[in-house]
Amino acid sequence: MIKVAPSILSADFGNLQRDVEEICNAGCDLVHVDVMDGHFVPNLTIGPVVVSAVAKCATKPLDIHLMVENNSFFVDLFAPLKPKYISFHIEEEKHPHRLIQKIRALGIKPAIVLNPHTPPESVEFLLKDLDMVLLMSVNPGFGGQSFIDSVIDKAIRLNKMRNRIKPECLIEIDGGVSDKNIHLLKDAGVDVVVAGSYIFKHNNRQKAIESLQI
Ligand code: DX5
Ligand code: ZN
């Protein structure tokens, strides 16, 4: 079954505890946290002060998605919160293999994110050291954008590659996910989906989460 990671970027930040508790009680699998620094992407979100408050009320593991320059600095900032995953963009990292080792040594599962233009082959020689590869299906920076269809072919290619190299490495998709494309994603071999606006704008968030757990 596909695992669902609601992105709290679309939550009500004035009622963050209420929204985090709601999605956890509604049966989500992970809590997706988008960290943006205003440099790698044209938006600025939350740091460890707010994320530690999220960690306190979340009953599901955190999935931290870094969209930042200077990844290693941000790994050090968020590692004390004991997230399950930390993912970083390969486009912004000169030494991805070194950073993967650092994240794992901190007891966190390492994941790499690929922007829409980045080919799946860019992680081929890193795959055996990764727990997850996150494919962006929108340009990173904002919630509520439309799904970029070419990610489906990319997921199919990545699925073949990981089945050959490391079948237990998960494939996650982030951006524009809803009940409209979830079946295509399932068929492509996707294991985890991030969904922000679809879940938080739905009048029944539990039903929205369940509609993606196919
Ligand atoms: C975009 C973020 C996403 C975003 C997804 O940079 O990485 O996690 O919140 O939001 P939706 O599901 O609304 O596209
Ligand atoms: Zn994200």
Side-chain angles (χ1 to χ4, degrees):
M1 193 160 80
I2 289 194
K3 291 190 190 328
V4 175
S7 163
I8 59 166
L9 190 58
S10 293
D12 175 358
F13 275 77
N15 292 286
L16 196 50
Q17 179 175 359
R18 181 201 66 192
D19 279 6
V20 170
E21 287 173 352
E22 185 183 349
I23 52 164
C24 290
N25 292 336
C28 74
D29 299 281
L30 296 164
V31 175
H32 186 81
V33 178
D34 289 305
V35 176
M36 307 183 189
D37 68 348
H39 295 280
F40 179 64
V41 288
N43 196 5
L44 189 60
T45 57
I46 49 179
V49 174
V50 175
V51 181
S52 69
V54 171
K56 279 200 190 93
C57 60
T59 53
K60 300 294 168 67
L62 299 190
D63 172 31
I64 295 187
H65 173 192
L66 298 179
M67 284 159 274
V68 299
E69 293 181 352
N70 200 353
N71 283 302
S72 184
F73 169 79
F74 282 85
V75 167
D76 288 332
L77 274 188
F78 287 99
L81 305 181
K82 302 273 170 233
K84 182 166 186 179
Y85 296 98
I86 290 184
S87 58
F88 65 89
H89 276 259
I90 198 159
E91 300 86 5
E92 191 52 48
E93 186 50 52
K94 283 197 189 107
H95 300 287
H97 187 264
R98 179 180 292 152
L99 189 58
I100 289 168
Q101 288 173 306
K102 171 175 171 161
I103 294 170
R104 194 174 297 288
L106 289 163
I108 300 161
K109 293 178 183 290
I112 280 186
V113 196
L114 307 185
N115 268 338
H117 72 281
T118 305
E121 288 73 20
S122 63
V123 291
E124 183 169 4
F125 296 104
L126 299 169
L127 211 49
K128 72 176 174 48
D129 297 305
L130 287 170
D131 283 277
M132 188 158 75
V133 178
L134 169 49
L135 303 181
M136 291 307 299
S137 40
V138 296
N139 287 297
F142 303 93
Q145 304 179 80
S146 4
F147 185 81
I148 298 172
D149 292 316
S150 59
V151 79
I152 299 283
D153 280 346
K154 201 197 282 195
I156 291 169
R157 268 163 66 180
L158 179 61
N159 188 26
K160 284 184 189 144
M161 195 191 300
R162 68 92 186 250
N163 287 342
R164 173 167 58 83
I165 299 171
K166 187 176 183 185
E168 64 273 30
C169 178
L170 301 180
I171 300 176
E172 184 178 39
I173 298 275
D174 185 1
V177 172
S178 72
D179 58 345
K180 305 274 182 294
N181 46 35
I182 193 68
H183 290 276
L184 277 173
L185 294 169
K186 174 92 180 173
D187 292 346
V190 170
D191 306 289
V192 185
V193 294
V194 176
S197 49
Y198 172 66
I199 291 172
F200 283 100
K201 286 193 176 144
H202 204 285
N203 56 18
N204 185 331
R205 292 171 179 175
Q206 182 166 347
K207 280 211 173 105
I209 290 169
E210 287 168 0
S211 73
L212 303 177
Q213 289 169 324
I214 60 170

